[in-house]
Amino acid sequence: MSPGDGELSDVSAGARVPFLAGANPDMIGAFSIVSFAEPAALDVVHMDVPSSTLWLESEEDAARHGRTFDRIARVGLAERNAVDLIETIRKELETQ
C-alpha cells in the first residue's frame, strides 16, 4: 500500500492469525496495548469483556500481554499477507 491508500505508519494490520492456523492457547481474548510517546508514560492494556471494559495499568500486565502478542504474531501471517487477507475478505463482502 502506498500513503494515501489508507496506510497509517503507526498502525499495524490486525488479522495476524487466520482461522486456518487453528486454536492458539495464547488467544485469551481481544486486547490492545496502548503506548504513549512520552518516555515516562507506561503502556496500558485495553480489553473489552462481556460486562465491562478493562484497563490494565501495571508494567507487569503490559509486559505479559506484550509477550502474548509476540507469541501470537510468530505463528500468524506476515503483515503484508494480513493486509492481503483483509483486502480479499473486503472484496468478497462487496460482491455479496
Side-chain angles (χ1 to χ4, degrees):
M1 296 176 84
S2 61
D5 290 337
E7 183 176 321
L8 301 173
S9 62
D10 57 345
V11 176
S12 62
R16 297 284 185 151
V17 183
F19 183 73
L20 296 175
N24 186 312
D26 286 320
M27 294 295 293
I28 57 175
F31 63 90
S32 300
I33 300 172
V34 182
S35 299
F36 300 94
E38 295 82 21
L42 297 175
D43 291 348
V44 295
V45 178
H46 171 262
M47 299 175 71
D48 285 323
V49 295
S51 60
S52 67
T53 295
L54 298 176
W55 288 95
L56 307 176
E57 299 177 348
S58 75
E59 287 183 57
E60 181 181 314
D61 286 328
R64 183 174 59 250
H65 283 78
R67 289 188 302 272
T68 297
F69 179 85
D70 291 342
R71 285 190 303 270
I72 292 168
R74 280 195 299 273
V75 300
L77 296 173
E79 186 168 0
R80 178 73 247 166
N81 297 76
V83 171
D84 291 343
L85 175 63
I86 292 168
E87 182 64 16
T88 299
I89 293 169
R90 183 189 67 78
K91 287 177 181 177
E92 288 174 3
L93 291 173
E94 283 180 344
T95 61
Q96 292 181 1

